[in-house]
């Protein structure tokens, strides 16, 4: 196994730079989001979420744990993984600098300040964690199950890679910290070290990307070792079972993702990285098959993953109850990370749709309009409106109802922040003959093709509300090249309009290959109409229900006055229609069952009463923005 091309000189941010694969990812220096749905969210991320997260982390002592490590050791506050939140925030700030967003100078100052604090907290041998190893603290690596030490290091390495790829080519001190930490991990857990793994995967991702950045072979070897060690039950027994920790079955022998969703997804993403860099196509195919099965059997309509609250875990196949959807934001971010790696490796456009679904229905749902309130879990059915939350109070649980300003476990905020700041990296790739546009976002693209020719595109779209997509050539030469667009499965009947005319195009990839002229436009007209969606009958929890989707968006019924949506019955023989307020379906409301016992003769408990009425649905990502409400995505038809 070899890392062939150290990337130390690379500027222009990319979170993932595989040395091989079907597609080359374009980075922040090549793709800029210029407007529309996602630009609004990027700007709110910059002006709202990032400063909000910084101020909470200061206030709760999470950043302070680095600033005064010895003084803080005895009185350190927060869970054992709070270091990782500071690293994720640093990663978000780094992508934000790369994006050229709000106040890069102020961000640079914060990055420098946090980096200095982190560097000062690092032990001479490279070990770095604020909860272990100092006077009054447990010994290093004394709690591999819950300690999160390697998990935190993984996030440190990802932050350092982001910084190195966005700081203009200078040798950044955070990279030096990361290298020392990675060297220490290789010493401590290498072939002659402790043969263990961390209870929470993540180090694997960080090590491979650091190997890609630096060309350091042993980081890749160590990541491969961690992946190979997984599933051999080296972690202690726990009542959650080894599955929760991704330590029950070796990666190569698992058929589907299982256990704690975020752990499983990070590990799978790290395994893809290892597979790509080591030429292990069997491992790559195994993880791809795991993901495909997980998508087919263990994923909510929104793209959310995890249906078990108790252990934040995947349920068994088809166990996807709407009102118990856990669907953590972090699982959404992690699934995008995995799908992106699989897309780059395989070129399979199905992963575009995975990313699109999760972006619009998990990530966009997670964050309040001001960027300062958040969902941690994403239920698909809120039966009772929860009380409004104080804007200044940390939540101890996982919420439900209104978005919360902060959580004791605030993993999701900074995760969403780093994804949004670096979003332009997930939109466009280059293949052997040209460019592929994977997500339609208002953007400007300027890059070189595989043969070095300079090309440019401008993308304009009305998505997600309207389905027009215009791709304009802004730079080209007199040689042919290809522009590959995607017709999503929700856009059957799409039309392609070029200088050669208009034609209906099938779902899937559309390749336009020719000599383009500057100013030439390719227009894709994607039908965005409301449609009913039915669940696989094996999903017992939603059998007999329909949901409404429109373009890439899942819709929901919402009642701000707490009206009982639990007895709604939708007439699925009447197609949903667009209205000014959203999408309308025909519905009636059934009488509730008898008070003393919730079961009775079928004619009594299932017969709808009352006149049919119009029920307005709104995009799921908008729910609870006006305050507490009831909500449901799946609507019974009987
Ligand atoms: O354990 C660290 C993070 O906290 C996990 O990834 C999340 O699921 C939450 O439990
Ligand atoms: Zn989370």
């Amino acid at each position: 196994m070899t890392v062939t091309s150290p990337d130390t000189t690379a500027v222009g941010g990319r979170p993932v730079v595989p040395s091989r694969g079907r597609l080359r990812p374009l980075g922040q220096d090549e793709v800029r989001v210029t407007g529309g749905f996602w630009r609004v969210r990027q700007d709110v991320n910059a002006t709202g979420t990032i400063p909000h997260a910084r101020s909470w982390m200061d206030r709760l002592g999470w950043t302070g744990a680095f600033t005064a490590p010895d003084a803080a050791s005895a009185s350190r506050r927060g869970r054992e993984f709070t270091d990782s939140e500071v690293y994720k925030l640093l990663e978000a700030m780094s992508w934000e600098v790369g994006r050229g967003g709000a106040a890069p100078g102020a961000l640079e100052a914060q990055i420098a300040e946090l980096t200095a604090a982190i560097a000062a907290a690092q032990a001479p041998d490279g070990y770095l964690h604020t909860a272990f190893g100092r006077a009054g603290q447990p010994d290093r690596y004394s709690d591999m199950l819950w300690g999160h030490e390697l998990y935190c290091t993984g996030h440190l390495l990802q932050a350092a890679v982001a910084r190195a790829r966005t700081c203009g080519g200078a040798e950044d001190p955070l990279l030096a910290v990361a290298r020392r930490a990675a060297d220490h991990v290789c010493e401590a857990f290498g072939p002659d070290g402790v043969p263990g793994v961390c209870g929470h995967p993540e180090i694997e991702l960080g090590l491979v990307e650091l190997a890609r950045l630096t060309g350091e072979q042993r980081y890749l070897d160590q990541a491969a070792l961690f992946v190979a060690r997984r599933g051999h039950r080296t972690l202690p027994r726990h009542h959650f079972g080894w599955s929760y920790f991704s330590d029950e079955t070796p990666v190569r022998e698992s058929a589907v993702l299982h256990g704690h969703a975020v752990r499983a997804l990070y590990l799978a993403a790290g395994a893809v990285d290892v597979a790509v860099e080591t030429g292990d196509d069997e491992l790559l195919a195994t993880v791809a098959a795991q993901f495909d099965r997980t998508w087919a059997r263990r994923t909510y309509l929104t793209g959310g993953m995890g249906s078990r609250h108790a252990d934040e875990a995947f349920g068994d196949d088809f166990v996807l109850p709407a009102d118990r959807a856990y669907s953590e934001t972090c699982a959404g971010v992690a699934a995008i990370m995995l799908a992106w790696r699989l897309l780059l490796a395989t070129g399979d456009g199905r992963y575009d749709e995975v990313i699109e679904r999760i972006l619009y229905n998990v990530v966009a749902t997670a964050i309040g309009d001001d960027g300062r309130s958040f969902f941690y879990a994403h239920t698909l059915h809120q039966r009772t409106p929860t009380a409004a939350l104080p804007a200044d109070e940390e939540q101890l649980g996982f919420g439900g109802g209104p978005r919360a300003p902060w959580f004791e476990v605030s993993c999701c905020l900074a995760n969403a922040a780093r994804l949004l700041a670096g979003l332009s990296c997930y939109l466009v790739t280059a293949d052997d003959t040209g460019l592929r546009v994977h997500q339609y976002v208002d953007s400007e693209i300027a890059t070189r093709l595989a043969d070095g020719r300079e090309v440019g595109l401008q993308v304009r779209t009305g998505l997600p509300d309207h389905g027009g997509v215009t791709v304009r050539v802004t730079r080209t030469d007199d040689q042919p090249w290809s522009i590959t667009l995607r017709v999503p499965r929700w856009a059957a009947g799409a039309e392609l309009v070029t200088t050669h005319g208009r034609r209906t195009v099938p779902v899937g990839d559309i390749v336009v290959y020719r000599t383009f002229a500057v100013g030439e436009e390719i227009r894709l007209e994607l039908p965005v109409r409301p449609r009913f969606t039915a669940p696989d009958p094996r999903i017992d929890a939603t059998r007999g229900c329909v949901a409404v989707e429109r373009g890439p968006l899942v819709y929901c019924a919402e009642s701000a006055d707490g009206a009982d949506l639990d007895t709604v019955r939708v007439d699925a023989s009447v197609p949903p229609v667009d209205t000014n307020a959203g999408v309308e379906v025909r519905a009636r409301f059934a009488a509730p069952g008898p008070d003393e016992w919730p079961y009775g003769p079928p004619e009594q408990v299932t017969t709808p009463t009352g006149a049919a009425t119009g029920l307005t649905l709104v995009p799921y990502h908008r729910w609870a923005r006006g305050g507490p409400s009831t909500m449901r995505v799946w609507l019974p038809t009987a």
Side-chain angles (χ1 to χ4, degrees), residues 106-117:
L107 282 177
E108 288 284 0
Q110 290 195 60
I111 291 170
E113 173 214 335
L114 288 171
T115 299

Side-chain angles (χ1 to χ4, degrees), residues 328-330 376 411-412:
E328 182 183 339
T329 303
C330 280
Y376 183 117
C411 46
C412 300

Side-chain angles (χ1 to χ4, degrees), residues 81 148 151 200 260 262-263 266 312 328 330 376 409 411:
F81 40 77
H148 286 75
Y151 165 84
H200 199 314
H260 183 273
V262 184
R263 282 168 167 81
Y266 280 167
E312 305 181 299
E328 182 183 339
C330 280
Y376 183 117
V409 176
C411 46

Side-chain angles (χ1 to χ4, degrees), residues 481-620:
W481 53 287
S482 63
I483 300 173
T484 302
L485 305 177
R486 175 177 63 91
V487 177
R489 251 174 297 192
W490 51 258
E495 296 192 333
L496 183 74
V497 185
T498 67
T499 47
H500 294 215
R502 171 187 290 266
R503 65 185 166 102
T504 303
V505 282
V507 162
D509 291 339
I510 307 292
V511 184
V512 181
Y513 180 81
R514 64 161 167 267
T515 302
F516 296 101
V518 170
E520 183 175 343
E521 289 186 351
I522 301 172
R523 186 164 169 80
L524 204 49
E525 291 175 3
L526 305 173
V528 172
R529 296 185 204 104
R531 63 190 186 276
F532 281 128
T533 300
D536 185 303
R538 290 170 289 184
I539 307 175
D540 293 82
T542 49
R543 190 180 299 150
C545 294
V546 291
V548 170
E549 297 181 90
R550 188 178 181 280
L553 300 181
V554 173
Y555 273 60
C556 66
E558 184 182 20
S559 173
D561 60 8
D564 185 5
L565 291 170
D566 289 344
T567 65
V568 73
R569 300 286 185 271
V570 162
D571 183 352
S573 69
V574 181
V577 292
D578 280 323
T579 66
N580 287 339
V583 168
E584 190 176 282
V585 294
R586 297 305 290 168
R588 300 169 79 186
F589 288 84
D595 277 347
E596 71 277 10
W597 180 238
Y599 310 96
E603 64 280 7
Q604 189 181 340
V605 293
T606 62
T607 307
T609 55
T613 176
L615 178 68
T616 297
L617 311 182
V618 296
Y620 175 71

